C-alpha cells in the first residue's frame, strides 16, 4: 500500500516536472522566435532608411543640368519596386524577394554616385558629402542587420531542432526558419562606394 502511494507521488512529481519543462521550453522558443522577428524588423528598418535617403540623393543630383536622366529614372523605378514589396512573414521566398529589390536599388544608387564623380561641383557640396556618408553608413548597417538576423535564425533553429526541445517545438508548431542566403554571384559587392 505504501509502495503504491510512493509510486503515485513519484508519478505526480514526474508529471509536474514534465509540465514545467514544457512551459520553460515553450517560453524559450517564443523568446527566440521574438528575437528573430526583432532582428528581421531591424533589417526592414535599415532598408527603409535606404529608401528614405535615396530621394534626397536624387534631388541633390537633379540640380545639375544635363545629368543623365536614365540613371535617375532607374533609381526611381528601383525605389518604387522596393517600396512595393511588403514582407509580413519571415520565410525564404519573402526574404529573397526583399533582398533582390533592395540590392537593385543599391546597385543603381552606386551607379549614380559613380556618375557624379564626373561633376566636381556637385561632389564638393556639403549636401552631397553628407548624403554619401549617410548612404555608406546605411550599407554597413544593412550588413550588420543581416548578420544579426542570421545569428537569431541560427539560434532559433538550433533550439527547434535540439532534443528534447524539438518535441515541444513540434507539439506547438515551431518550425525551422531560413535566414539570409546570398544568391549566386552575390560575391560581387553592390555596396555603395565613395
Amino acid at each position: 500500500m505504501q509502495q503504491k502511494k510512493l509510486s503515485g507521488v513519484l508519478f505526480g512529481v514526474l508529471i509536474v516536472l514534465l509540465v514545467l519543462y514544457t512551459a520553460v521550453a515553450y517560453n524559450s522558443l517564443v523568446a527566440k522566435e521574438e528575437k528573430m522577428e526583432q532582428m528581421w524588423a531591424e533589417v526592414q528598418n535599415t532598408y527603409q532608411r535606404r529608401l528614405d535617403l535615396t530621394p534626397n540623393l536624387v534631388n541633390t543630383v537633379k540640380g545639375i543640368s544635363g545629368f543623365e536622366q536614365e540613371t535617375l529614372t532607374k533609381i526611381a523605378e528601383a525605389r518604387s519596386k522596393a517600396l512595393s514589396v511588403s514582407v509580413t512573414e519571415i520565410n525564404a521566398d519573402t526574404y529573397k524577394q526583399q533582398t533582390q529589390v533592395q540590392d537593385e536599388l543599391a546597385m543603381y544608387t552606386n551607379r549614380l554616385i559613380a556618375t557624379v564623380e564626373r561633376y566636381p561641383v556637385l561632389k564638393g557640396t556639403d549636401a552631397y558629402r553628407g548624403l554619401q556618408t549617410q548612404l555608406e553608413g546605411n550599407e554597413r548597417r544593412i550588413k550588420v542587420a543581416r548578420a544579426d538576423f542570421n545569428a537569431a535564425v541560427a539560434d532559433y533553429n538550433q533550439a527547434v531542432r535540439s532534443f528534447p526541445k524539438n518535441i515541444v517545438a513540434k507539439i506547438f508548431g515551431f518550425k525551422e526558419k531560413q535566414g539570409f542566403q546570398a544568391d549566386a554571384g552575390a560575391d560581387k559587392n553592390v555596396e555603395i562606394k565613395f
Side-chain angles (χ1 to χ4, degrees):
M1 183 75 157
Q2 201 172 28
Q3 190 171 0
K4 254 186 173 179
K5 196 174 189 182
L6 183 61
S7 295
V9 169
L10 287 176
F11 182 73
V13 167
L14 183 62
I15 294 297
V16 167
L17 288 176
L18 187 60
V19 167
L20 284 175
Y21 175 78
T22 301
V24 169
Y26 176 82
N27 290 337
S28 170
L29 288 167
V30 167
K32 289 178 186 305
E33 187 173 49
E34 287 297 318
K35 179 70 171 178
M36 180 184 61
E37 289 175 4
Q38 177 189 9
M39 293 297 103
W40 177 247
E42 188 56 34
V43 171
Q44 296 291 68
N45 183 32
T46 56
Y47 284 164
Q48 184 62 50
R49 188 170 190 274
R50 179 196 279 159
L51 290 171
D52 293 343
L53 287 172
T54 302
N56 295 334
L57 177 65
V58 170
N59 289 332
T60 302
V61 172
K62 268 185 182 176
I64 299 176
S65 61
F67 193 81
E68 292 87 357
Q69 189 62 37
E70 181 185 351
T71 304
L72 297 177
T73 302
K74 291 286 189 187
I75 286 179
E77 290 170 0
R79 184 175 184 273
S80 182
K81 274 189 211 174
L83 282 169
S84 71
V85 174
S86 173
V87 177
T88 56
E89 184 180 334
I90 301 172
N91 63 47
D93 293 335
T94 58
Y95 191 80
K96 185 176 181 177
Q97 182 182 17
Q98 181 83 36
T99 301
Q100 285 174 340
V101 294
Q102 287 292 330
D103 287 349
E104 181 180 351
L105 178 60
M107 178 185 69
Y108 286 122
T109 305
N110 197 20
R111 283 187 189 170
L112 174 65
I113 290 170
T115 304
V116 167
E117 296 294 320
R118 292 184 262 154
Y119 296 88
V121 171
L122 177 64
K123 214 167 85 173
T125 66
D126 288 340
Y128 181 75
R129 282 195 308 261
L131 283 169
Q132 277 184 318
T133 302
Q134 287 185 43
L135 284 166
E136 183 180 50
N138 199 64
E139 294 306 309
R140 288 185 186 135
R141 284 184 181 110
I142 288 171
K143 285 182 180 181
V144 169
R146 284 178 175 178
D148 290 347
F149 172 67
N150 276 348
V153 169
D155 186 44
Y156 169 83
N157 285 342
Q158 181 182 13
V160 167
R161 294 178 56 211
S162 298
F163 181 79
K165 206 177 276 188
N166 64 340
I167 296 168
V168 175
K170 285 180 184 173
I171 290 170
F172 291 104
F174 290 94
K175 295 183 172 129
E176 281 187 67
K177 302 287 185 181
Q178 183 132 22
F180 170 74
Q181 291 185 344
D183 294 330
D187 55 338
K188 310 288 190 280
N189 197 357
V190 296
E191 179 180 345
I192 296 174
K193 298 174 185 148
F194 301 101

